[in-house]
Amino acid sequence: MKLLHTSDWHLGRSFHRVGMLGAQAEFIGHLVATVREREVDAVVVSGDVYDRAVPPLAAVELFDDALHRLAGLGVPTVMISGNHDSARRLGVGAGLMGRAGIHLRTEPSACGTPVVLSDGHGDVAFYGLPYLEPALVKDEFAVEKAGHEPVLVAAMDRVRADLATRAPGTRSVVLAHAFVTGGQPSDSERDITVGGVAAVPAGVFDGVDYVALGHLHGCQTLTERVRYSGSPLPYSFSEAAHRKSMWLVDLDADGAVTAERVDCPVPRPLARIRGTLEELLADPALAPHTEAWVEATLTDPVRPADPMARLTERFPHTLSLVFDPARTADDPAASYARRLAGRDDQQIAEDFVAHVRGTGPDPHERAVLRDAFDAVRADDAVREVAR
C-alpha cells in the first residue's frame, strides 16, 4: 500500500506580515497532483490542519476544496486533529465525510477503533491518535498523573489490544500528533510542555508498522518506521534550512517500510543574514538573497538610521529586523529579549524569584511554579475547546 504522509498545514496562518493562503492553495494542488500521478492508495494528515481553533472563512473554504478534490480522486484520506485545531469543530460531519472516504479522527475515545483499508495483500488498520491534551484526557485513559507519556502509552495500549484481535498479517499505521524524543523543534510550534516534559520516547509506538507523526515542522526520520513529515510551508525563519516535503511511504505485504521524500512547492526562499548594516548592503555574496524573504540581524554597536528602509532597497522582501550588537548577556544594555532568549516560562519565573529574593526557589517552590504553569496552559486548552 502506497501512503502519502503530510501534516501541519496550518491553513490560515501568515508568515510574519505575508498571507500564506495562496501558497497553501498551491500546496493543496500539488498534494492532489501527487496523489494522482504517483498512484497513492491513501493519504494521512497528522494534525494541525488549521492554525487556530476558529479559523478564518477563507481557510475553511480551502480545506473544503481540499476534501472535495481528494474525495473526487477516490483515494481514502485519514486525518487527525492537532494541538492548534479545535477537535470538536474539525470533527463535525465526520460520519458523513467517512462515507466519501475522508476519515476524520478527532475523538480520543476512538483511538483503538481503526479505519481499515485493503489492498492485494490484505488489510491495513489506520489508528488515529489526535492531539491528546493530558489535562483533558486524563480520565478517559484512567491515568493517575496528567502527562504526555502516560496518555500516549494508554492510547497505544488500546491500539495494540485492537490489533491483536485482527487477522494475522494485518498491517498497521498510527497517526499521532506529539513531540517525540529525538525530534528537532523550530520556533513556529506551540509549546506543549506539561510538568516540565514535552517529549515522549519513540518506544511508546512499538508494535506497529508505520507511525505518521505531526507537530514538529521539520521533515525528520526518528526510525525507519517513525517519521515526521513536517509542515509543507515555512512558518518561521528558524526553518530557513528546512527542505519542505511529504513522505511517500510504501508498505509491503509484510509491513516493511520504504519511504521517499516528495518536495513541496517553495513560494519564496528564506534567508537569515547577519552583519552591520553597511556590510549587508555591500556584500556581493548576499546577492542571491535579493528575492528571498529575509531576516536581517544587525550587529552595529549603535542602531543605524532608517535600517529597514535601507535594507529593503537591496532586499525588498525583508520581513524581520533584529538588533544584536556584540554585548555579553549580563550587560545592562543588552535587550530584554536577548536576556530571555532560549529560556522557557519556568526558567524565567525562577530567575525572577532569585532576582527579588536573592535566592532561587527550592524544589517544592519549583514544583508549585510548574503546577501553576501547567494549570494555566490546561485552562487555555479548555477555553479553546469550548469556543
Side-chain angles (χ1 to χ4, degrees), residues 275-288:
T276 66
L277 179 59
E278 295 305 324
E279 289 170 346
L280 299 185
L281 295 176
D283 188 350
L286 299 180

Side-chain angles (χ1 to χ4, degrees), residues 48-90:
D48 281 353
V49 174
Y50 292 120
D51 189 56
R52 55 183 186 266
V54 185
L57 179 59
V60 177
E61 290 173 339
L62 180 55
F63 178 60
D64 182 62
D65 176 65
L67 297 189
H68 275 85
R69 294 170 74 178
L70 288 168
L73 293 175
V75 175
T77 297
V78 185
M79 184 178 296
I80 61 172
S81 51
N83 61 303
H84 280 250
D85 299 309
S86 166
R88 289 171 64 184
R89 281 187 171 82
L90 188 64

Side-chain angles (χ1 to χ4, degrees), residues 88-130:
R88 289 171 64 184
R89 281 187 171 82
L90 188 64
V92 169
L96 286 173
M97 283 187 254
R99 298 179 187 177
I102 305 295
H103 304 279
L104 292 168
R105 290 295 183 265
T106 63
E107 290 291 334
S109 59
C111 284
T113 305
V115 176
V116 180
L117 305 177
S118 300
D119 62 8
H121 303 294
D123 289 346
V124 181
F126 290 79
Y127 297 90
L129 277 57

Side-chain angles (χ1 to χ4, degrees), residues 150-293:
V151 297
L152 273 170
V153 166
M156 283 301 301
D157 284 345
R158 294 188 184 183
V159 168
R160 284 184 282 263
D162 180 84
L163 192 57
T165 68
R166 304 208 166 256
T170 299
R171 290 157 291 163
S172 53
V173 175
V174 165
L175 291 73
H177 196 86
F179 187 172
V180 178
T181 304
Q184 296 299 313
S186 59
D187 293 342
S188 53
E189 298 121 8
R190 184 181 294 172
D191 181 33
I192 59 171
T193 301
V194 177
V197 178
V200 300
V204 165
F205 300 102
D206 286 350
V208 296
D209 294 309
Y210 184 70
V211 181
L213 293 175
H215 180 56
L216 300 186
H217 289 180
C219 183
Q220 303 171 58
T221 300
L222 303 187
T223 74
E224 285 303 304
R225 297 185 182 276
V226 182
R227 299 170 187 262
Y228 282 101
S229 66
S231 61
L233 294 165
Y235 294 114
S236 72
F237 277 102
S238 66
E239 299 167 58
H242 286 188
R243 173 187 162 197
K244 295 300 184 182
S245 57
M246 303 176 285
W247 284 114
L248 188 63
V249 177
D250 257 316
L251 200 61
D252 76 7
D254 298 318
V257 169
T258 57
E260 171 192 348
R261 289 180 72 174
V262 178
D263 290 335
C264 295
V266 179
R268 193 178 294 279
L270 306 187
R272 305 180 98 172
I273 59 178
R274 180 183 181 90
T276 66
L277 179 59
E278 295 305 324
E279 289 170 346
L280 299 185
L281 295 176
D283 188 350
L286 299 180
H289 302 318
T290 54
E291 294 304 314
W293 282 320

